[in-house]
Amino acid sequence: MKGLLIPTAYVLFFSLLIGCGKTTTISSNMELTGKWQLDSIVQEDVIIKKPATTKGVMDIGLNFKEKGELEGTTSTNILTGFYETAQQNTIQLGGGGTERAETSWGNLFVNALPNVNLYDLKANKLILYYDNGNQLIFSRVQ
């Protein structure tokens, strides 16, 4: 009897996982795939615009690749990692890179990125939400 209970529990769990579409994880989202450049950050209803380009400072951006791969640039560093999206516009980002010599703009981005949990796509704009409604607002590149 005990030997039958464990396989039955696995079948039941797997059936529930498949049957409930709202929890199915999608490794990538074709509309999200591509390069995005950070335009502004909204923190506590204050809009912080992208500063003027400075020599030696990169544009901050993310490149969502197929199969859940993620690449990005901060103001002075490179990021690599992964992303996963699910229904209801949830998103999980992970990965890392160095944080050497970041500008204040770069630090805002680097500190916000691990807390992103929702996204929204609108007419070549990507909004990543974090920490109770704060936003990273990107424009599609290319």
Side-chain angles (χ1 to χ4, degrees), residues 31-139:
E31 292 176 332
L32 186 61
T33 302
K35 295 181 180 181
W36 299 89
Q37 183 176 31
L38 185 63
D39 290 332
S40 59
I41 298 173
V42 178
Q43 286 187 338
E44 300 175 14
D45 296 327
V46 175
I47 299 173
I48 306 163
K49 298 275 188 184
K50 173 184 165 184
T53 305
T54 307
K55 186 177 179 179
V57 175
M58 297 183 285
D59 284 329
I60 294 176
L62 293 173
N63 184 6
F64 293 90
K65 297 178 149 194
E66 293 181 21
K67 300 181 183 174
E69 295 176 22
L70 178 65
E71 293 178 348
T73 53
T74 67
S75 58
T76 57
N77 296 289
I78 305 291
L79 303 171
T80 59
F82 70 91
Y83 71 99
E84 288 183 341
T85 61
Q87 292 185 8
Q88 299 179 342
N89 290 7
T90 60
I91 189 167
Q92 178 184 5
L93 306 173
T98 61
E99 294 181 24
R100 283 182 259 152
E102 284 297 340
T103 63
S104 58
W105 175 245
N107 279 325
L108 288 171
F109 173 71
V110 168
N111 292 331
L113 207 55
N115 301 315
V116 167
N117 58 2
L118 293 171
Y119 74 96
D120 194 14
L121 288 167
K122 296 179 187 178
N124 290 322
K125 289 285 184 189
L126 168 65
I127 303 171
L128 298 178
Y129 295 93
Y130 68 100
D131 293 342
N132 299 319
N134 291 336
Q135 305 169 20
L136 300 171
I137 302 172
F138 294 81
S139 293

Side-chain angles (χ1 to χ4, degrees), residues 2 13-14 18-19 27-28 30 53-54 56 65 96 99 127 132:
K2 187 176 182 180
F13 175 73
F14 188 69
I18 290 175
S27 63
S28 65
M30 294 310 289
T53 305
T54 307
K65 297 178 149 194
E99 294 181 24
I127 303 171
N132 299 319

